[in-house]
Amino acid sequence: MISSSGAIRDLSAMIRKLKPGYEIEMKTFKKDRGIEIMKAEDGSLNIKEFGFRSAEYHTSTDDFERLFKEIYQREFPRSHEIRYSVRRTR
């Protein structure tokens, strides 16, 4: 678990180091809302949002931070700690 205050900064750094074929999954404490970020072979990112809104986004690493902040604030408005895991894509 990571604190919500530094989550955007920490996850932005993790995304830069993430290898293609892996994903980062973030969920609330109750595991009812979350975000999955998958890195494709070409270096682009696929972001899957589930919870308040269900949507998928495809973006480059350069445009990631702006989009991620928007999604993060929508899905985790009152969360203090976020569960996260890094795993190989299914």
Side-chain angles (χ1 to χ4, degrees):
M1 293 187 79
I2 58 175
S3 74
S4 182
S5 61
I8 293 174
R9 181 191 65 237
D10 293 345
L11 287 164
S12 293
M14 283 183 201
I15 290 298
R16 288 188 202 100
K17 297 177 186 176
L18 193 65
K19 295 178 183 175
Y22 284 83
E23 69 181 1
I24 296 177
E25 180 182 51
M26 298 173 295
K27 290 186 177 182
T28 60
F29 181 77
K30 293 177 4 179
K31 299 179 184 174
D32 59 342
R33 296 185 309 271
I35 303 169
E36 290 180 356
I37 304 165
M38 296 169 270
K39 193 163 200 175
E41 294 296 326
D42 63 353
S44 65
L45 299 171
N46 299 325
I47 303 170
K48 184 178 175 184
E49 171 185 8
F50 55 94
F52 288 120
R53 183 189 295 178
S54 295
E56 286 194 36
Y57 306 95
H58 303 286
T59 185
S60 66
T61 309
D62 300 333
D63 299 330
F64 166 74
E65 198 164 327
R66 180 195 56 79
L67 179 62
F68 179 67
K69 283 180 185 179
E70 180 183 316
I71 296 169
Y72 184 85
Q73 291 171 353
R74 182 173 41 243
E75 291 299 328
F76 305 110
R78 297 179 304 272
S79 298
H80 296 288
E81 290 187 326
I82 307 298
R83 297 178 188 267
Y84 80 96
S85 63
V86 179
R87 64 178 181 220
R88 194 157 183 68
T89 306
R90 299 177 211 148

